[in-house]
Amino acid sequence: MEDQENILPLYEQVRRSILASIDAGQFTESGFLPPEPELMALYGVSRITLRRAIGDLCEAGRLQRQQGRGTLVLPGKVRQTLVSLSGFSETMDGLGRKAGHRILLRDDKPDAPTVCERLDAISLIRFDRLLENDGMPMTLETLWFDAARFPEVVAPVAAGQSFFAALRDKAGVIPAHAERQIDVGFAAPAERAILSVTASQPVYRIEKTVTDADGRPLALSQLITPSNLVTYTIKT
């Protein structure tokens, strides 16, 4: 780094240079940074300076150290509109990214009387899913809906497909409204392990109720997303 007039600390110059290289595509998202010796030579800095810059980017959620593998470049923030009715797959498709729904748990008889009452469900079913962005963990979701009302939707969701797409294609139902309640907090230990976040990284906790044109609830979702992975916008 040869800019002697730059008053920024050296580690901050390196941090910004790494970010610029990511934005330029030199370091690709979902790929690994070059080895430390190569980066030290590239930026002309010591290992201590390089590690501080990388550490800051890890804390910010832009990079992730993986034991025995290297430093992974995490995908940039996803921009989502709060008033949009698009499902996760539709949002990712619009951004040119690949959505994934990894099933972590299925409960055909969950003990959740409050949720059952809110959905006016006859046979409540629950899926815990990990929503992935280009193969990377993004959101933990607990999805509830009435299996008796939408029996044809169960198998596609269990196979890792989009709930919205299954609802539309299999049941002929298109959501008309969605209400979201958003809080910010920190992930529990089990959630941190799945989402690969630290105890100090904040997460969004969102409860979303989707209804049809008559106002009848279709599904309830509880979502946990690291705040460094998404930016929410509101259109009026």
Side-chain angles (χ1 to χ4, degrees):
M1 317 267 319
E2 299 178 352
D3 187 357
Q4 300 296 325
E5 296 180 358
N6 199 324
I7 62 174
L8 291 173
L10 197 54
Y11 75 87
E12 176 62 15
Q13 295 179 45
V14 175
R15 187 190 73 84
R16 295 188 179 196
S17 293
I18 293 174
L19 279 178
S21 295
I22 294 172
D23 291 339
Q26 181 180 350
F27 303 146
T28 58
E29 293 183 352
S30 302
F32 287 88
L33 290 182
E36 277 190 355
E38 187 175 331
L39 290 173
M40 290 162 56
L42 176 64
Y43 297 118
V45 296
S46 67
R47 179 172 277 105
I48 293 176
T49 298
L50 176 66
R51 287 184 174 177
R52 179 166 182 183
I54 289 176
D56 282 0
L57 289 171
C58 288
E59 282 295 319
R62 203 66 184 91
L63 300 176
Q64 181 186 90
R65 289 192 177 101
Q66 295 192 353
Q67 186 67 33
R69 300 188 67 194
T71 303
L72 183 68
V73 180
L74 298 177
K77 280 193 172 187
V78 171
R79 186 175 296 275
Q80 291 186 311
T81 303
L82 284 177
V83 296
S84 171
L85 278 172
S86 298
F88 179 70
S89 292
E90 290 81 1
T91 299
M92 293 296 104
D93 288 346
L95 296 171
R97 304 190 183 194
K98 182 180 179 181
H101 305 78
R102 187 190 305 175
I103 303 300
L104 305 178
L105 177 146
R106 170 179 172 172
D107 190 343
D108 289 81
K109 294 183 178 180
D111 183 17
T114 300
V115 176
C116 191
E117 182 179 355
R118 290 176 63 182
L119 293 178
D120 192 23
I122 298 173
S123 179
L124 188 68
I125 190 169
R126 167 182 171 171
F127 287 96
D128 289 0
R129 309 192 295 178
L130 178 61
L131 309 185
E132 297 175 320
N133 172 11
D134 284 341
M136 298 297 299
M138 181 171 173
T139 297
L140 269 175
E141 178 193 40
T142 300
L143 170 67
W144 315 77
F145 63 92
D146 188 355
R149 184 182 176 193
F150 305 117
E152 59 274 88
V153 173
V154 175
V157 171
Q161 297 179 28
S162 162
F163 171 73
F164 271 36
L167 196 64
R168 180 190 64 236
D169 299 339
K170 303 297 183 180
V173 176
I174 299 177
H177 309 284
E179 179 180 330
R180 295 173 176 88
Q181 178 179 310
I182 303 177
D183 293 299
V184 177
F186 298 97
E191 297 165 347
R192 295 200 299 267
I194 296 172
L195 292 170
S196 299
V197 297
T198 66
S200 62
Q201 284 182 265
V203 297
Y204 293 112
R205 292 186 177 272
I206 300 176
E207 183 176 278
K208 181 174 70 172
T209 304
V210 179
T211 58
D212 61 19
D214 296 323
R216 186 178 179 185
L218 302 172
L220 173 69
S221 293
Q222 295 168 334
L223 307 110
I224 304 169
T225 304
S227 61
N228 64 285
L229 298 182
V230 63
T231 295
Y232 291 108
T233 61
I234 299 177
K235 289 183 179 181
T236 57

